[in-house]
Amino acid sequence: MKLVVAPDYETLTELAADFIAETVADKPDAVLALPTGSTPLGAYRRLILKARHGHLDLSRVTTFNLDEYVGVGLRDPLSYHAYMTEHLFSQVNVDPARIHLPDGLAPDPEAEGRRYEAEITRAGGIDLAVLGIGANGHIGFNEPGGPFESRTRPVRLSAETIVAMQAEAPSEGRLPVTALTLGIATIMEARQVLLLAAGPEKAEAVARALQGPVDVAVPASVLQRHPRATFLVDREAASRLK
Ligand code: GLP
């Protein structure tokens, strides 16, 4: 696994946006898996600026988000649909027909997971999966203990994750306890992975993922087995590395 330590969050966002933009420059019809959360916000801001200045064309790109809350509709401000529309999609030229997120209101979430997997396969697989990491080492919403062979499916969120998400939620209401997430096997099949981590609260998870044993207790540790995975972290998130 490749490790890049950025001196600060701003540099991290710049490097992340460059990485994504280069992937698209090399392959204009690239298939991207995209994360939510606070970490990617700066990178999305920079991608928007690149697009505005004519340095990035997303018109042929296909996107699959990593996850979505179960029981939450597209227009609910809590939804990752709403997050992506606000922070990226409404401000760049991604073709709406090529944007994919799991449907949080699908009557059968298991079937929705299978449908999502089939869409990814139909698109030719993921060229670049951009990931965040939970303080407990989760990727997407694959919580500790989730099997490495998992596929897109509904999962129960850990108490720790719910508390972390609640702190960032755009509204007061209680968050769902279930989400649909890309599976770990699905993420591992991406041709390239870029994991972003910033801040001291991610330092332990980053150290365990990069330097600890590959173990389902730290889902991100599986990336040690990926042939083209890069961890792009700021200095604070790198502070527990040996
Ligand atoms: C959620 C998302 C993850 C994300 C994580 C970290 O759990 N489902 O995909 O990586 O939050 O979020 P943040 O970047 O806000 O710390």
Side-chain angles (χ1 to χ4, degrees), residues 46-124:
R46 286 178 185 273
L47 288 177
I48 292 165
L49 290 177
K50 281 179 190 289
R52 271 194 204 144
H53 294 138
H55 302 312
L56 174 67
D57 176 12
L58 293 169
S59 61
R60 292 174 58 202
V61 155
T62 298
T63 68
F64 286 92
N65 263 79
L66 296 176
D67 40 28
E68 179 60 285
Y69 292 117
V70 167
V72 170
L74 311 190
R75 282 174 200 81
D76 189 316
L78 275 182
S79 74
Y80 287 165
H81 266 96
Y83 168 106
M84 291 304 296
T85 303
E86 178 182 350
H87 298 295
L88 186 66
F89 296 150
S90 64
Q91 302 182 65
V92 292
N93 66 345
V94 186
D95 176 355
R98 294 179 196 265
I99 291 173
H100 305 268
L101 285 98
D103 178 1
L105 292 183
D108 178 348
E110 295 280 350
E112 174 60 7
R114 290 191 293 274
R115 183 196 67 79
Y116 204 67
E117 285 280 331
E119 289 281 344
I120 293 171
T121 305
R122 202 167 312 130

Side-chain angles (χ1 to χ4, degrees), residues 130-150:
V130 185
L131 310 176
I133 184 169
N136 62 3
H138 74 220
I139 46 176
F141 268 136
N142 293 285
E143 298 280 31
F148 285 165
E149 47 295 338
S150 58

Side-chain angles (χ1 to χ4, degrees), residues 34-40 66-67 69 80 131-135 138-141 161 164-165 168 196 198 201-202:
L34 297 175
T36 51
S38 55
T39 314
L66 296 176
D67 40 28
Y69 292 117
Y80 287 165
L131 310 176
I133 184 169
H138 74 220
I139 46 176
F141 268 136
T161 293
M165 297 296 103
E168 286 183 8
L196 309 176
E201 60 290 353
K202 299 295 170 68

